[in-house]
Amino acid sequence: MSLVKIEGLGVSLGGQPVLHHVDLDLIRGEIVTIVGPNGSGKSTLLRTILGAIRPDKGKITRAPGLTIGYVPQILQVDKALPLSVRTFLDLPKKVSNAQAKDALDRVGAADLSRRQLRDLSGGQMQRVLLARAVIGKPDLLLLDEATQGLDQQGSAEFYRLIEELRRDMGCAILMVSHELHVVMAASDRVICLNGHVCCHGTPEHVASAPEYRALFGSGTQGALALYRHEHDHAHTHEHDH
Amino acid sequence: MSDVLDSFLVRAALAGVGVAVAAAPLGCFVVWRRMAFFGDATAHAAILGVALALALALPITAGVLFVALAMALFITWRGDGHSVDTALGVAAHSALALGLVAVSFLEGVRIDLNAFLFGDILAVNRVDLAVIWGGAFLVVGLIAVRWQALLTSTLNEDLATAAGIDPKKEQLVLTLALAVVVAVAIKVVGALLISAMLIIPAAAARPLSHTPVAMALIAAAIGTAAALGGLFASWRLDTPTGPSIVCAAAVIFAATRLRP
């Protein structure tokens, strides 16, 4: 059974159409990545699934009692707001110290508990946001450009962490990213978005689809070549050229 | 039979403390959410509420509450809530000017406008006191009950939505609380200085606080100290009481900033 089923979704922001005719089906335990150029509606799609944006066409069916963990693209904490990592984990539902410790351990941030949120580095903040997102053992984890501001090693580690979380908790993970090659290696399915779904399927399929190449063209050739070199021989192909 | 409430100074002190307690937790949210101008606009509209109440022979509190709420809701719903600095500036000062003009049209009513602009805490009677403390309990109760949800949606609206919280509803809770604070504070510090009682104690509490709850409690303590200190200074130095209370708050603010 799908966790989230999207049919014929259309979304406009400020009168401008952002998404049209988007279909998407998410099932438990899979990692799905949305890639697409700037302004292609990636974050909008995520926020619509979240319920923060009301679609003007189509429908979204969420599994009954679906719980969502969300990692925003960026969390700006006003300097007037004193907030420690531990207190942040209590929002909106208070958690026990054991639960807080477990969540921070999971993401390798056990030593950050007493730190103020404002004082964290980019990588530490991402881990803490992830810890808070997984604390209620959600059915679905939504990540919006979660590796923004991390160096290559940092984001590679981050994706390993995501993979571990999926294994341990069995949740579905839907993420938005621009780091095509890393993301593709870490995903079960890739959706290439540009206002609508250009192409989708296994990472290999998408990487070789002409629609995808038209969007990402020469700029990513090096990375993709590397990726294809590593993976072309290891999997059976479903694309036809 | 006489009791302590017979003394106007005791009544004034209790009124000042009531307003400080009501304003502190709301003031923290006003600071965290950068709603200072929003508070100003709502408070300034209160003068229009005074005019309305006098024209219709209604209790002042009812008129102020109604207009403050209408103003706050209008601002909340007119746009997306962000980058509305200019719109709020227009609303704040137009409401104040309109209120002043409206009051001048009232025939046969002689009112001391200063009392509504800067407060008249020494004239607080028992009924006022009941209204102030009733409002304070309402506001503090409302914010305490919704605390976690309010804080989450203040931090990030999408995080709140993901957790099943409606940020618009939380905004409405704050809007309602703001209207109540304006209605109970107008007699104490006056329409022009209400936002000072919201913002200054909260800002003064910031360097002393490590958690949001601590900041709200410390702000309440600072507001109380300012109310009592200002009242005392005004009594000894024969200065206007509302502005004296705000001056006391400003002195405490400066002191917490200078702390090593």
Side-chain angles (χ1 to χ4, degrees), chain A residues 47 78-80 82 90 92, chain B residues 32 34 148 155 158 206 210 212:
Chain A
R47 298 185 66 229
D78 196 288
K79 65 170 183 271
D90 271 337
Chain B
W32 295 333
R34 303 181 175 215
Q148 298 285 113
L155 191 61
D158 287 346
R206 174 62 185 96
H210 292 287

Side-chain angles (χ1 to χ4, degrees), chain A residues 44-231:
Chain A
T44 301
L45 178 56
L46 222 55
R47 298 185 66 229
T48 309
I49 294 173
L50 198 66
I53 299 174
R54 196 182 290 273
D56 38 28
K57 274 198 210 88
K59 69 173 185 183
I60 301 182
T61 317
R62 298 178 183 85
L66 178 81
T67 50
I68 295 178
Y70 175 61
V71 177
Q73 193 167 357
I74 195 164
L75 183 71
Q76 286 205 324
V77 184
D78 196 288
K79 65 170 183 271
L81 179 61
L83 193 63
S84 68
V85 170
R86 180 64 188 85
T87 312
F88 175 60
L89 296 180
D90 271 337
L91 294 177
K93 233 200 243 148
K94 292 217 163 145
V95 294
S96 69
N97 284 334
Q99 278 175 297
K101 186 179 179 310
D102 176 62
L104 289 174
D105 279 345
R106 232 179 238 282
V107 301
D111 53 333
L112 298 179
S113 182
R114 298 171 68 87
R115 295 274 294 278
Q116 288 282 309
L117 227 46
R118 274 184 58 79
D119 300 335
L120 300 182
S121 71
Q124 290 171 330
M125 181 62 118
Q126 286 307 332
R127 283 168 186 271
V128 168
L129 286 172
L130 191 59
R132 187 193 161 279
V134 300
I135 214 163
K137 302 240 184 321
D139 307 309
L140 172 62
L141 205 51
L142 298 177
L143 296 104
D144 193 353
E145 299 269 14
T147 56
Q148 210 178 38
L150 300 188
D151 59 19
Q152 209 165 10
Q153 195 192 344
S155 47
E157 264 172 40
F158 194 81
Y159 288 117
R160 265 200 295 281
L161 191 58
I162 297 290
E163 173 67 46
E164 264 175 49
L165 289 174
R166 185 257 300 261
R167 200 187 55 217
D168 295 350
M169 307 196 317
C171 56
I173 294 166
L174 178 65
M175 53 188 176
V176 161
S177 188
H178 61 279
E179 290 169 307
L180 300 169
H181 57 294
V182 190
V183 151
M184 287 194 151
S187 311
D188 301 316
R189 259 191 319 142
V190 173
I191 292 165
C192 178
L193 195 70
N194 190 23
H196 63 288
V197 177
C198 300
C199 54
H200 65 101
T202 61
E204 294 81 359
H205 174 74
V206 169
S208 61
E211 296 91 341
Y212 176 85
R213 299 210 162 170
L215 278 178
F216 290 103
S218 54
T220 55
Q221 247 168 21
L224 282 178
L226 186 69
Y227 169 78
R228 287 161 65 77
H229 173 74
E230 283 172 358
H231 293 265

Side-chain angles (χ1 to χ4, degrees), chain B:
Chain B
M1 206 180 119
S2 74
D3 61 46
V4 289
L5 291 184
D6 284 341
S7 156
F8 75 94
L9 266 181
V10 171
R11 289 197 302 272
L14 286 173
V17 172
V19 167
V21 166
L26 179 63
C28 288
F29 281 103
V30 168
V31 168
W32 295 333
R33 297 168 78 106
R34 303 181 175 215
M35 288 166 58
F37 232 163
F38 186 104
D40 254 347
T42 306
H44 289 181
I47 292 294
L48 196 56
V50 171
L52 190 73
L54 291 172
L56 301 175
L58 289 169
I60 300 284
T61 310
V64 170
L65 190 61
F66 174 76
V67 174
L69 195 57
M71 181 66 164
L73 290 177
F74 171 72
I75 304 168
T76 306
W77 286 334
R78 61 148 286 290
D80 56 39
H82 296 289
S83 66
V84 291
D85 211 38
T86 308
L88 283 179
V90 171
H93 299 110
S94 310
L96 180 61
L98 189 61
L100 294 174
V101 170
V103 168
S104 77
F105 274 121
L106 295 172
E107 278 176 42
V109 184
R110 262 200 66 234
I111 60 159
D112 178 12
L113 206 49
N114 272 331
F116 295 105
L117 289 174
F118 301 108
D120 192 8
I121 193 175
L122 300 180
V124 163
N125 61 33
R126 284 162 193 257
V127 175
D128 297 329
L129 214 47
V131 169
I132 289 169
W133 277 95
F137 276 114
L138 187 69
V139 168
V140 172
L142 193 61
I143 291 180
V145 166
R146 310 284 324 158
W147 183 263
Q148 298 285 113
L150 282 169
L151 201 53
T152 310
S153 59
T154 294
L155 191 61
N156 184 291
E157 295 201 343
D158 287 346
L159 276 186
T161 306
I165 296 164
D166 181 356
K168 287 207 176 65
K169 191 172 131 198
E170 304 310 322
Q171 169 75 47
L172 198 60
V173 167
L174 291 180
T175 301
L176 195 65
L178 184 61
V180 174
V181 166
V182 167
V184 302
I186 189 165
K187 185 124 194 185
V188 174
V189 287
L192 293 184
L193 294 174
I194 289 171
S195 19
M197 283 308 279
L198 288 170
I199 292 160
I200 300 178
R206 174 62 185 96
L208 310 176
S209 324
H210 292 287
T211 68
V213 175
M215 185 162 150
L217 294 176
I218 294 172
I222 289 174
T224 300
L228 297 178
L231 184 61
F232 180 74
S234 136
W235 177 55
R236 294 298 299 268
L237 307 173
D238 194 23
T239 51
T241 313
S244 301
I245 290 174
V246 175
C247 284
V251 168
I252 299 174
F253 170 81
T256 65
R257 294 280 142 169
L258 289 175
R259 204 180 58 113

